[in-house]
Amino acid sequence: MKQGVLLLAHGAPERVEDVESYLSYVRGGRPCSPEVLKELRGRYEAIGGSSPLLRWTPGVTAASHEVYVGATPDLSAADYRG
């Protein structure tokens, strides 16, 4: 039997200016209230304008690949981003 590991992240906006389009994407095209948009923009500004998730994901993927493929010979390895 083949085994696999799935790591999933919705991503994050790269810049504060991208928050509105990101929110629309993760909400299936539904707009959010101006209050929610203002709050989320403020949160991204407070952490420097970009989520650390964008920097962490490639490292987590690489480390997981090393751990699981090294320990499980029949594990299929693939990395999909997009």
Side-chain angles (χ1 to χ4, degrees), residues 3-82:
Q3 297 179 11
V5 175
L6 174 65
L7 303 175
L8 179 66
H10 273 125
E14 293 182 27
R15 307 170 302 147
V16 172
E17 297 82 9
D18 300 330
V19 168
E20 187 170 8
S21 62
Y22 171 75
L23 275 177
S24 177
Y25 173 73
V26 299
R27 293 172 47 87
R30 293 173 291 140
C32 64
S33 71
E35 294 82 14
V36 168
L37 183 57
K38 181 180 177 181
E39 179 182 341
L40 196 58
R41 279 187 177 147
R43 289 180 183 200
Y44 275 94
E45 288 169 354
I47 62 170
S50 181
S51 171
L53 178 65
L54 300 172
R55 293 186 307 274
W56 297 339
T57 301
V60 170
T61 302
S64 298
H65 183 272
E66 286 182 33
V67 168
Y68 290 110
V69 171
T72 311
D74 65 341
L75 180 70
S76 296
D79 179 8
Y80 301 102
R81 293 182 209 162

